[in-house]
Amino acid sequence: MHDPTYQITTHTPTTATRPAYLPAPERPVMLPGEIPPGVQVVTLPGGIRTLAYAPTPPPAAPPVPVAQPIPAWAKTTALLVPTVGGGTAAAGIGISYAAPGLIAMSHALWAAVALIAAAAIGVPALLRLGRNTTGTGGGSTHITQNITATGLFGKAHGTINR
């Protein structure tokens, strides 16, 4: 077997080897607006201009935030929070100390309501009982009334009999 040996050479373009119908590349074939981001036109050492990927510059540092003054409403709210919280805590402690007294007062109020209801029912019943036992005949009292008048505008006279 016979292996042919090939010699590798590099071709250097010259104006003589370039066809006459191709213009000399003096500017990029693509318009600047057509070049994608991250690609630039570079000139090689032989004078040929071509497109190549260029290293992207590091991103700009974010702007340093500027300290802004605290609004007046936030200061007022911050000052009121401990006051309102302390007042709520004091009210809770006061209610916890007053709870037994409040419970006793509610029981006393219910007892007073029950007493008033019993009095409203019991007093008339006792009065009826007392009237029946203190009467003369043991029964109810009958009143008879006789009224007489003479004429259209006459004076009326009457008698009451028990």
Side-chain angles (χ1 to χ4, degrees), residues 41 76 119 121 132 157:
V41 178
T76 305
I121 295 171
N132 287 343
H157 299 280

Side-chain angles (χ1 to χ4, degrees), residues 81-150:
V81 166
T83 306
V84 172
T88 305
I93 292 170
I95 289 174
S96 70
Y97 283 132
L102 292 174
I103 292 171
M105 284 194 304
S106 71
H107 288 300
L109 181 64
W110 281 114
V113 168
L115 180 66
I116 292 170
I121 295 171
V123 168
L126 287 176
L127 288 177
R128 264 191 242 118
L129 264 174
R131 238 189 269 156
N132 287 343
T133 57
T134 58
T136 52
S140 60
T141 305
H142 294 286
I143 298 174
T144 305
Q145 191 174 21
N146 296 322
I147 299 174
T148 56
T150 55

Side-chain angles (χ1 to χ4, degrees), residues 6 8 12-13 26 28 30 32 35 39 43 56 59 76 82 133 136:
Y6 296 103
I8 299 174
T12 55
E26 295 181 10
M30 295 178 71
I35 298 175
V39 176
T43 304
T56 57
T76 305
T133 57
T136 52

Side-chain angles (χ1 to χ4, degrees), residues 19-33:
Y21 59 86
L22 289 177
E26 295 181 10
R27 61 182 172 84
V29 178
M30 295 178 71
L31 296 174

